[in-house]
Amino acid sequence: MAATPDGSERGEDARAAGTAASRRRMSADERSALQQRLGARYGEGSSIRQLAGEEGLSYGFVHRLLSEGGTALRGRGGSTRRRASS
């Protein structure tokens, strides 16, 4: 189970259903706590997609939280060099 911003537990069914409770507005304190928690987990190596899936949040929301919280985001990875044209 994943913890919600208020520290309570939310099961797979609630995340999968996208219940209204998962879409409620967060207080500034809850948002700050979530930013810190996600930032710490991202710094330990979790991807934004992993964090979003585990927390039942969208990729964009997690990305925005990390950016607003001052977390240095990693690059996308993979090869960054282009092949020489023939």
Side-chain angles (χ1 to χ4, degrees):
M1 284 194 197
T4 60
D6 65 0
S8 62
E9 293 291 318
R10 180 174 61 212
E12 292 291 327
D13 295 342
R15 275 201 307 272
T19 62
S22 66
R23 291 189 215 128
R24 69 174 183 77
R25 286 186 84 82
M26 282 186 240
S27 71
D29 290 338
E30 289 173 325
R31 188 177 180 100
S32 178
L34 183 59
Q35 280 176 334
Q36 290 176 349
R37 189 171 76 245
L38 293 178
R41 290 174 53 202
Y42 183 79
E44 294 169 353
S46 294
S47 71
I48 294 175
R49 289 199 191 284
Q50 286 172 327
L51 296 173
E54 291 168 3
E55 294 288 333
L57 301 169
S58 72
Y59 175 94
F61 183 69
V62 172
H63 186 278
R64 186 169 49 253
L65 278 178
L66 293 173
S67 296
E68 289 173 358
T71 302
L73 300 178
R74 296 185 294 267
R76 290 180 53 153
S79 178
T80 57
R81 296 184 337 175
R82 293 180 177 224
R83 288 185 175 183
S85 58
S86 304

